[in-house]
Each structure stands twice: as structure tokens, then as C-alpha cells.
Amino acid sequence: METAIYILVGLIMLGVLYFAWWKVIQPYRKFQGKMLITCPETHQPAGVAVDAKHAALTAVQGEPDLRLKECTRWPERQNCDQACLAQIESSPQNCLVRAMLSNWYKGRSCVFCGKTFPHIDSYDHRAVFWYEQKPAFVNPEGKLVEWREVPVETLPQVLTTHQPVCWNCLIAMVFRRDHPELVLDRPGKRSH
Ligand SMILES: [Zn+2]
């Protein structure tokens, strides 16, 4: 009898977890993160973020209710009708900045060390970690540009004019830039 109760409780817990995954966590991941849309008012790119928590909680009852929690055109246009949500609704994956970066880095090589970037699925948990590592670029003038210096709305432009830099090279270059007194350049191996 006791075993039957344990099995029943286990099955109920599995059901709850399955429900939570499909109904709450999936919608949350789908809409969480910075997004790039074309502002219907200006026809220019703008950076936005959806209230992913609200989307996930409303998804429990059916369709997720989308609303913005930030936009690069705020606070001036804070009271707009958020018509850009239609773009996000029809294809959230295409608007997600982390997915855009993932696609852009895929198959490219670091401009300094030549290492090829691995393909990372933007829905994979590692992508979040990778994204946290903040990829970098070199601009056409050869200057290192860190991700946090790139306004989201300029991303389409940046991705056409800049070159990719891997995390390891970024760290090494930032260290060299900020602590030149600590960097000891070793002479390279000489061939005989
Ligand atoms: Zn590199």
C-alpha cells in the first residue's frame, strides 16, 4: 500500500514538473533577453525586452500575454502602443539578440587567435553562460569593442562591419590594456 502511495506521489510530482517546464519555463526562456525589432513608428532598429515573467505566468492559462518592460526609445516613447510586439509574437527567436549573436559567431574565427567559434544553440543553458561571457568585436579601425559598449539598436550595423574576438583574446587584451606594467612580453622561440 505504501509503495503505491509513493508511486502515486512520484507520478504527480513528475506531472507538475512536466507542466512547469512546458507551461512556464519554456515561454519564459522564449521571451527572456534583449530583443531587436524594427520600430513600426520610425522604421529603425530598436532594442527592447519583453516582460518574460508576465508572459510565462499568463501562458499557464493559454496564449502568453506579451508586454514590454524596456525599450531603447523609452522614456520618451513610454506610452506608445507597443505595436512592435507583433514582430516578437510571430518570431521571438528571430528577435532575440543572443540568438542573433549565436548565429553570427557560428563558424566564424577569432580575428586574433584564429580559433573557430563553436555552434551554440541559443536555447541551450550553456548559451546563457556563453552570452554572459560577453563576446567582443574589433571595429574597422582595429579598436577592441566590448559587447556592453554596443547599443542593441546598432547591432545590425556592428555585425556587418566588425570582426569577432573570442573570450580568451578579449580577456588577454583587456588585461594588457588596463595593466601594461604587469605584462612581460616573452621573446618568441627562435628557429635555429
Ligand atoms: Zn581569440
Side-chain angles (χ1 to χ4, degrees):
M1 186 64 196
E2 243 178 49
T3 319
I5 291 173
Y6 283 138
I7 291 173
L8 190 66
V9 169
L11 282 174
I12 291 171
M13 281 175 74
L14 270 178
V16 168
L17 282 176
Y18 184 78
F19 181 83
W21 173 255
W22 281 108
K23 282 302 212 176
V24 184
I25 298 170
Q26 283 289 66
Y28 181 81
R29 286 169 67 85
K30 201 161 145 190
F31 296 110
Q32 194 272 325
K34 291 215 183 299
M35 293 187 169
L36 185 79
I37 48 88
T38 303
C39 177
E41 215 173 68
T42 62
H43 304 287
Q44 297 295 319
V48 296
V50 167
D51 186 343
K53 219 187 281 178
H54 176 74
L57 291 176
T58 51
V60 174
Q61 295 142 21
E63 285 298 304
D65 177 44
L66 301 186
R67 66 183 188 199
L68 295 186
K69 70 168 185 186
E70 54 185 75
C71 170
T72 48
R73 296 194 66 215
W74 290 0
E76 292 78 19
R77 300 294 297 128
Q78 187 120 27
N79 294 322
C80 87
D81 58 0
Q82 307 195 353
C84 62
L85 285 172
Q87 297 166 42
I88 297 171
E89 211 167 3
S90 68
S91 183
Q93 176 75 0
N94 279 346
C95 300
L96 271 176
V97 165
R98 65 167 185 270
M100 283 177 203
L101 286 173
S102 228
N103 284 338
W104 189 75
Y105 276 90
K106 185 176 76 177
R108 280 189 159 80
S109 309
C110 170
V111 73
F112 293 113
C113 69
K115 206 170 76 185
T116 308
F117 291 91
H119 168 59
I120 297 160
D121 183 354
S122 69
Y123 275 114
D124 194 293
H125 68 280
R126 283 171 307 169
V128 176
F129 179 64
W130 172 79
Y131 181 67
E132 297 300 330
Q133 288 190 342
K134 297 178 183 76
F137 311 95
V138 199
N139 70 12
E141 290 77 43
K143 188 181 168 276
L144 191 68
V145 180
E146 289 183 58
W147 167 236
R148 60 189 160 91
E149 298 171 276
V150 178
V152 176
E153 65 276 21
T154 66
L155 192 64
Q157 180 64 26
V158 165
L159 295 187
T160 52
T161 55
H162 290 40
Q163 300 280 335
V165 176
C166 80
W167 173 247
N168 288 343
C169 288
L170 169 70
I171 292 301
M173 291 178 75
V174 167
F175 185 79
R176 187 178 280 265
R177 182 190 67 195
D178 297 346
H179 304 282
E181 74 284 0
L182 297 176
V183 178
L184 186 70
D185 278 313
R186 289 187 192 153
K189 275 184 191 168
R190 292 200 184 98
S191 52
H192 294 285

